[in-house]
């Protein structure tokens, strides 16, 4: 079971970690960031340095559940086995092996022309 975290506390820690490196701290706040959850709330007046760092961090985030896009239907919901629940296609090495096996089986089942 994962431990819940308090988003307001996470943002406060981020601001505390980044703000000391602001090359122009006397410039004052340029944005107000607020968050309210069942675990707490916070409002943070942040300078240019902090808000830029926050934007860069958010732009660089890659969700671990993002396993790419289905080559068949374009869905972005591939599961941990690279199976697309929308169209059924398997991706990756497993999908390739299964697709090649299916082609061989289908070819073996086709009636051969000219066989007597």
């Amino acid at each position: 079971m994962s431990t819940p975290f308090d988003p307001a506390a996470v943002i406060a820690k981020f601001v505390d970690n980044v703000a000391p490196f602001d090359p122009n701290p006397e410039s004052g706040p340029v944005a107000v960031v607020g968050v309210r959850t069942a675990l707490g709330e916070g409002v943070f007046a942040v300078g240019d340095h902090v808000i830029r760092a926050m934007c860069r961090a958010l732009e660089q985030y890659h969700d671990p559940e993002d396993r790419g896009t289905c080559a068949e239907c374009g869905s972005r919901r591939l599961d941990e086995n690279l199976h697309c629940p929308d169209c059924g296609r398997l991706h990756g090495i497993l999908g390739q092996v299964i697709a090649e096996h299916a082609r061989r089986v289908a070819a073996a089942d086709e009636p051969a022309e000219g066989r007597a």
Side-chain angles (χ1 to χ4, degrees):
M1 183 165 135
S2 66
T3 304
F5 61 93
D6 180 358
V10 171
I11 292 174
K13 176 98 171 106
F14 183 87
V15 171
D16 287 346
N17 288 343
V18 175
F21 303 103
D22 188 342
N24 193 10
E26 60 279 341
S27 65
V30 297
V32 176
V33 177
V35 62
R36 181 183 308 160
T37 70
L39 298 175
E41 66 180 66
V43 176
F44 310 92
V46 294
D48 185 65
H49 183 75
V50 171
I51 200 68
R52 286 177 182 275
M54 190 177 291
C55 289
R56 283 192 299 270
L58 290 170
E59 286 174 344
Q60 291 177 4
Y61 176 76
H62 176 80
D63 194 305
E65 295 297 316
D66 182 355
R67 296 178 185 95
T69 303
C70 177
E72 187 73 27
C73 72
S75 171
R76 296 196 57 209
R77 298 184 333 123
L78 300 181
D79 68 15
E80 63 277 357
N81 297 312
L82 301 180
H83 172 256
C84 178
D86 296 328
C87 72
R89 180 173 175 166
L90 284 170
H91 293 75
I93 293 173
L94 176 61
Q96 181 180 353
V97 169
I98 291 172
E100 288 172 4
H101 177 70
R103 281 192 289 274
R104 285 193 303 272
V105 169
D109 288 344
E110 290 178 4
E113 291 201 16
R115 274 197 235 181

